[in-house]
């Protein structure tokens, strides 16, 4: 694999410094490699305070199980203990102290993961006072973070849990080229955003292509970016500055590690986010519709040596699915929503399955406080579109679009997204085929705790605005 230009420079710098030190005497310690340095300003300053709810010791039996990794078990069982999946099998000895949940006639899937949500930053009721998702003051607001605008009392979280959602990526809006950092959350009650924050989930950056930055700044204010040329120039200029910023911090950390006198560079929150991208510590989630613009962003990423994790919305991914597969970039898409503006004009119902058929990573997202409650039905629509044109997508495959593949682009697929032993017990029991509009969730577990039960009112959360209280001007 080719070493990106930035990393070439760092490696060369490290080698040169090491040669210089060796010339001074054999007792001098070698300079640390750039990748071994702990660059403190790039770390997450706001750690998760999430505490799992008390887990249950449960064995779910007699269920049709979609594992999330392409496998399926008929009449299978899952053993949940200490918040983890202990075992999954067609036949299982039930421990004497376990509660048995007989899911006869029901289906079990991994907890659904929404990779694009604005819950909490555009909460219900939809009033101006709650709108904290778009810092529309500059095309570059990489310094802001969704977790600092997230309101954990958004009743949308409860509705999403009832739809089987157990984790989500909460993103800033797409008005700006650099919208700010996102935050991955678990669907559990919390007093603060950090109480919901998914432990050890990678940091993320929301970027945007196309019409939105042009409309807000060029058309709206007569300022740059006025065109797509301006959009891309802004991205390249920002990463040039970020590269310089990262180099200065690497030089500082290297001198400090070597015991030399060193003065820390001045901190810049925007450049810290972008330097985190260059240092592979911040995942890029890029709102982009048109195929040609996605390719431009891939070219820029190659120029500066960073990886784009996923294009979001991506209604034209089917046109460059082979390129996306080669670049190992996922697409987070809708099943059948397009045509609402020019750059979203050329969508097709087969977009999701065509991306997967090309060997690229396909994800279904919501970008909606309503659709997040029915992501299983969105997956069903995309599966049906595939099968109508002979792509032959199975339920075992399609469930991965809203579980394991979604976990992958959030960087949490090692611990959730499929029902494999050792993973977090994020589990949904359905009363029927989850790809049917007539099926509903029966129980939802997060880390082995039953956070929703349709037959138990004590497991159905309520918040102020679900009890009939409306704010002035609510929508």
């Amino acid at each position: 694999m080719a070493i990106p230009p930035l990393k070439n420079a760092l490696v060369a710098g490290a080698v040169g410094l090491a040669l210089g030190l060796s010339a001074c005497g054999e007792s001098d310690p070698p300079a640390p490699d750039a990748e071994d340095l702990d660059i403190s300003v790039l770390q997450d300053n706001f750690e998760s305070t999430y505490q799992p709810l008390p887990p249950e010791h449960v064995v779910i039996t007699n269920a049709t199980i979609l594992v999330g990794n392409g496998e399926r078990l008929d009449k299978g069982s899952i053993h949940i203990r200490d918040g983890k999946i202990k075992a999954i099998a067609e036949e299982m000895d039930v421990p004497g102290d376990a509660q048995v949940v007989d899911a006869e006639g029901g289906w079990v899937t991994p907890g659904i993961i929404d990779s694009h949500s604005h819950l909490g930053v555009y909460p219900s009721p939809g009033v101006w006072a709650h709108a904290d998702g778009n810092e529309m003051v500059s095309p570059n607001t990489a310094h802001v973070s969704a977790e600092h605008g997230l309101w954990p009392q958004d009743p949308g979280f409860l509705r999403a849990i009832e739809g089987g959602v157990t984790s989500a990526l909460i993103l800033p809006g797409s008005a700006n080229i650099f919208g700010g950092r996102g935050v991955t959350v678990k669907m559990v009650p919390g007093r603060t955003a950090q109480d919901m924050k998914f432990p050890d989930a990678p940091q993320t950056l929301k970027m945007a292509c196309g019409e939105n930055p042009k409309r807000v700044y060029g058309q709206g204010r007569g300022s740059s970016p006025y065109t797509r040329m301006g959009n891309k120039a802004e991205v390249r200029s920002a990463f040039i500055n970020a590269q310089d910023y990262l180099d200065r911090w690497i030089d500082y950390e290297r001198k400090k590690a070597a015991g030399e006198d060193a003065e820390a560079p001045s901190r810049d929150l925007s450049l810290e986010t972008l330097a985190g991208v260059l240092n592979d510590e911040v995942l890029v989630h890029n709102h982009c519709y048109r195929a040609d613009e996605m390719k431009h962003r891939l070219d820029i990423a190659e120029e500066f040596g960073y990886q784009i994790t996923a294009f979001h919305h991506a209604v034209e991914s089917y046109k460059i699915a082979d390129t996306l597969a080669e670049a190992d970039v996922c697409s987070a898409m809708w099943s059948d929503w397009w045509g609402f503006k020019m750059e979203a004009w050329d969508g097709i119902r087969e977009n999701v399955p065509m991306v997967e058929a090309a060997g690229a990573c396909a994800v279904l997202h919501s970008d909606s406080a309503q659709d997040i409650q029915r992501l299983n039905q969105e997956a069903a629509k995309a599966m049906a579109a595939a099968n109508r044109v002979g792509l032959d997508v199975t339920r075992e495959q399609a469930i991965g679009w809203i579980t394991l593949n979604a976990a992958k682009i959030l960087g949490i697929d090692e611990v959730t997204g499929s029902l494999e032993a050792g993973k977090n017990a994020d589990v949904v029991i359905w009363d029927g085929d989850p790809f049917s509009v007539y099926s509903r969730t029966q129980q939802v577990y997060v880390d082995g705790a039953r956070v929703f039960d349709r037959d138990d009112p004590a497991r159905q959360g309520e918040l102020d605005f679900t009890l009939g209280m409306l704010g002035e001007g609510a929508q």
Side-chain angles (χ1 to χ4, degrees), residues 239-250:
F239 277 113
I240 288 171
N241 292 333
Q243 184 172 310
D244 177 67
Y245 184 77
L246 180 59
D247 288 346
R248 283 187 276 127
W249 273 98
I250 288 174

Side-chain angles (χ1 to χ4, degrees), residues 252-288:
Y252 164 73
E253 296 289 357
R254 183 178 286 140
K255 288 179 177 175
K256 193 171 68 168
E260 301 176 27
D261 290 335
E263 182 177 352
S266 298
R267 290 185 63 183
D268 183 303
L269 294 179
S270 287
L271 292 176
E272 283 178 15
T273 299
L274 303 188
V277 171
L278 296 175
N279 213 40
D280 298 330
E281 297 183 46
V282 176
L283 307 181
V284 173
H285 289 264
N286 205 138
H287 155 123
C288 218

Side-chain angles (χ1 to χ4, degrees), residues 106-143:
W107 292 53
V108 172
T109 69
I112 291 172
I113 298 170
D114 190 0
S115 58
H116 191 124
S117 173
H118 299 299
L119 289 180
V121 294
Y122 282 113
S124 299
V127 296
W128 172 87
H130 284 168
D132 290 312
N134 255 323
E135 184 74 4
M136 292 187 288
V137 298
S138 164
N140 185 349
T141 57
H143 58 292

Side-chain angles (χ1 to χ4, degrees), residues 148-209:
H148 296 149
L150 189 152
W151 187 46
Q153 294 185 50
D154 181 356
F157 288 118
L158 297 178
R159 300 289 87 84
I161 292 170
E162 292 173 17
V165 178
T166 55
S167 301
L169 174 59
I170 309 300
L171 289 167
S174 53
N176 306 333
I177 296 171
F178 296 98
R181 299 193 191 215
V183 60
T184 300
V185 300
K186 285 178 175 280
M187 289 293 177
V188 293
R191 293 178 298 177
T192 67
Q194 286 176 266
D195 286 348
M196 302 174 68
K197 196 170 180 177
F198 201 114
D200 301 320
Q203 301 174 76
T204 58
L205 168 66
K206 172 74 175 294
M207 294 176 63
C209 297

